[in-house]
Amino acid sequence: MRKWIVSQLDVKSAFLNGPLEEEVYTRQPPGYEKISMEDKKQKFLKCTTEHGVYLKDCGVTGVVMLCLYVDDLLVTRDSKQEIYMFKKEMMDEFEMSDIGRIAYFLGMEFVTTKRGIFLHQKKYATDILKRFNMLDCNSATTPCEPGIKLSTSEDTNLVDSTLYRQLIGSLRYLCNSRPDITYGVGLVSRFMKKPCKDHLLAAKRILRYVKGTLEYGILFPAAKENSEIEIVGYTDADWSGDVGDRKSTSGYMFMLGNAPISWCSKKQDVVALSSCEVEYISAAFGASQALWLGMLLEELNIKCSNVMKLRIDNKSAIDLAKHPIAHGRSKHIEVKYHFLRDQVNKNKLALEYCRSEEQCADMLTKALKPKRLEEMKNKIGMHKLTYLN
């Protein structure tokens, strides 16, 4: 794998701000699609798998990739000359600022070092603490109390639902660089309709944990010359963890080398009857993401060294996925979850058993004790900023 350079551009005067007291109705004016038209003029093709990504085939010299979010652009290539030419053409057409090598983008901060690129959201996390008056709070060692069980309550001790939703919304964006809080944020997100004091205290505990881990982020190690790309996925589940409806929580995490590139924690839609079933459903959940990642890599002209692997810590679920004959214990499972079996039979996905101690998705399905949480953070490449020194 060759080392690519990521550079950033910003369109000036994309937004004009001013105090308004009237209701304003607007529609997009002619020309709003100008940047897309300019990209087409430069022979960029829109990625069908990820609509904010554009690709330009430069023949033997490779591909230029462009990421566009409203008025912010990222361009990446292993050639400084190609990036310079793209910037010049864009700045001739639009009034833009050349910000240079990526450092801050959409609330996420990037530090480029010899070890690789370090992604964190220290400034954003600090702003959240200030906004909710938690900057001087005592820190917590975990985002959730181990063994925590929250439920919908008829308790009259309700809290301000608007404030609660603002807090949860802020925390959800922080999950973009913090897999360690993803489960906790998902848990407290289930009670936004009628939050009570217990729910707010659980959400504030996440803030207390964030206070003590402000400098944590993800290190994407620098690739070695001509190294092969391998993506490995992990799926896990917490059987019948919700005390209200007895539904389980699924989690998946995909690793590129030693860094996580995709993760999710989500309560399942159905009540599972066994640990095998809940792990099977969770693996099907992860298989859908694996398929999307595979299609994205194909469009980006990035080849993996082998079939994408999905690691599960339940042998029965693996056995259920590998055999085409519907076992008696799986007849009640909804058809959509057998998507996993279909992907395995088509050799698009390889299932592997992993010990529970090595299950990277463990932190996405339950509240862990401090020692276990630290082990998981180290395993997936979460470090402090000081680690780079």
Side-chain angles (χ1 to χ4, degrees):
M1 184 193 300
R2 293 178 293 183
K3 186 176 181 180
W4 283 47
I5 302 159
V6 183
S7 191
Q8 188 175 356
L9 290 165
D10 180 71
V11 181
K12 293 183 179 179
S13 302
F15 299 101
L16 298 176
N17 301 293
L20 293 174
E21 297 179 357
E22 303 83 3
E23 289 188 6
V24 178
Y25 299 87
T26 64
R27 62 181 177 183
Q28 290 178 315
Y32 70 90
E33 74 286 354
K34 283 178 67 177
I35 289 186
S36 289
M37 295 299 293
E38 177 65 21
D39 292 337
K40 289 181 180 179
K41 190 172 80 173
Q42 294 195 37
K43 298 182 180 179
F44 276 89
L45 296 177
K46 193 172 187 177
C47 182
T48 58
T49 309
E50 182 58 64
H51 291 171
V53 176
Y54 294 79
L55 307 170
K56 180 180 180 180
D57 189 351
C58 298
V60 294
T61 60
V63 176
V64 177
M65 298 182 193
L66 171 67
C67 298
L68 172 63
Y69 186 85
V70 188
D71 66 326
D72 292 307
L73 292 86
L74 293 180
V75 58
T76 180
R77 181 75 170 82
D78 61 348
S79 167
K80 290 184 179 180
Q81 182 64 23
E82 290 283 354
I83 292 178
Y84 171 78
M85 292 301 297
F86 169 78
K87 286 182 177 181
K88 185 176 183 304
E89 291 178 15
M90 292 297 289
M91 293 173 76
D92 287 344
E93 185 70 23
F94 304 101
E95 188 177 358
M96 287 186 166
S97 299
D98 183 358
I99 300 176
R101 190 181 289 268
I102 185 171
Y104 187 86
F105 187 71
L106 303 179
M108 290 177 276
E109 299 172 74
F110 299 84
V111 181
T112 303
T113 69
K114 291 181 179 179
R115 289 176 181 261
I117 295 178
F118 186 76
L119 164 66
H120 67 99
Q121 290 177 276
K122 181 180 178 180
K123 181 182 182 302
Y124 178 78
T126 303
D127 290 342
I128 295 176
L129 293 172
K130 288 180 181 177
R131 179 181 179 186
F132 296 99
N133 300 314
M134 295 286 286
L135 193 59
D136 297 321
C137 67
N138 295 324
S139 60
T141 56
T142 59
C144 298
E145 186 72 32
I148 185 173
K149 299 293 181 182
L150 296 177
S151 61
T152 303
S153 175
E154 297 300 327
D155 189 355
T156 56
N157 194 12
L158 301 178
V159 298
D160 185 344
S161 60
T162 299
L163 178 67
Y164 186 82
R165 290 165 187 162
Q166 291 172 343
L167 172 55
I168 302 306
S170 299
L171 286 172
R172 291 193 71 86
Y173 192 71
L174 187 59
C175 292
N176 285 323
S177 66
R178 299 294 298 268
D180 52 334
I181 68 169
T182 300
Y183 169 75
V185 175
L187 178 63
V188 295
S189 296
R190 301 172 188 175
F191 308 101
M192 289 196 285
K193 186 177 181 180
K194 290 178 63 177
C196 67
K197 188 175 180 180
D198 287 346
H199 305 143
L200 181 60
L201 288 175
K204 285 190 172 182
R205 181 187 172 92
I206 300 174
L207 287 178
R208 290 173 51 213
Y209 171 75
V210 170
K211 165 69 185 303
T213 56
L214 280 173
E215 293 197 344
Y216 268 87
I218 298 170
L219 177 65
F220 297 94
K224 296 180 180 179
E225 193 72 23
N226 298 321
S227 60
E228 294 184 334
I229 291 178
E230 182 180 28
I231 295 180
V232 178
Y234 294 82
T235 65
D236 196 19
D238 179 35
W239 183 28
S240 191
D242 192 294
V243 295
D245 55 20
R246 309 314 297 180
K247 291 180 180 179
S248 310
T249 300
S250 290
Y252 67 67
M253 182 173 292
F254 287 86
M255 305 284 293
L256 174 60
N258 296 318
I261 58 170
S262 179
W263 57 88
C264 184
S265 176
K266 185 178 184 293
K267 189 166 80 167
Q268 293 184 359
D269 297 328
V270 298
V271 178
L273 302 181
S274 67
S275 59
C276 171
E277 180 181 343
V278 73
E279 294 282 3
Y280 184 79
I281 293 173
S282 184
F285 179 47
S288 299
Q289 183 69 4
L291 179 63
W292 179 83
L293 284 171
M295 293 189 298
L296 178 61
L297 290 174
E298 186 176 349
E299 279 206 80
L300 298 180
N301 200 27
I302 297 174
K303 295 182 180 179
C304 289
S305 56
N306 48 37
V307 177
M308 199 176 301
K309 298 174 184 176
L310 200 60
R311 292 179 176 165
I312 308 169
D313 59 5
N314 187 292
K315 292 182 179 179
S316 296
I318 295 174
D319 182 63
L320 189 60
K322 287 185 176 181
H323 292 83
I325 300 174
H327 295 215
R329 65 175 185 262
S330 68
K331 289 180 180 178
H332 64 284
I333 299 177
E334 291 187 36
V335 173
K336 65 179 180 179
Y337 298 118
H338 292 303
F339 167 77
L340 171 65
R341 183 180 295 166
D342 182 59
Q343 292 296 294
V344 172
N345 289 338
K346 291 179 178 178
N347 295 320
K348 292 185 176 181
L349 197 62
L351 303 186
E352 289 185 351
Y353 173 75
C354 72
R355 296 184 302 130
S356 296
E357 294 80 7
E358 300 173 350
Q359 179 54 266
C360 292
D362 193 29
M363 65 164 62
L364 302 171
T365 62
K366 62 181 74 69
L368 303 180
K369 294 181 179 180
K371 183 179 179 181
R372 174 64 173 166
L373 182 61
E374 287 303 313
E375 290 174 355
M376 286 292 98
K377 284 158 65 175
N378 289 330
K379 187 172 181 61
I380 66 171
M382 285 196 68
H383 303 287
K384 289 183 179 180
L385 271 167
T386 52
Y387 173 79
L388 304 178
N389 297 332

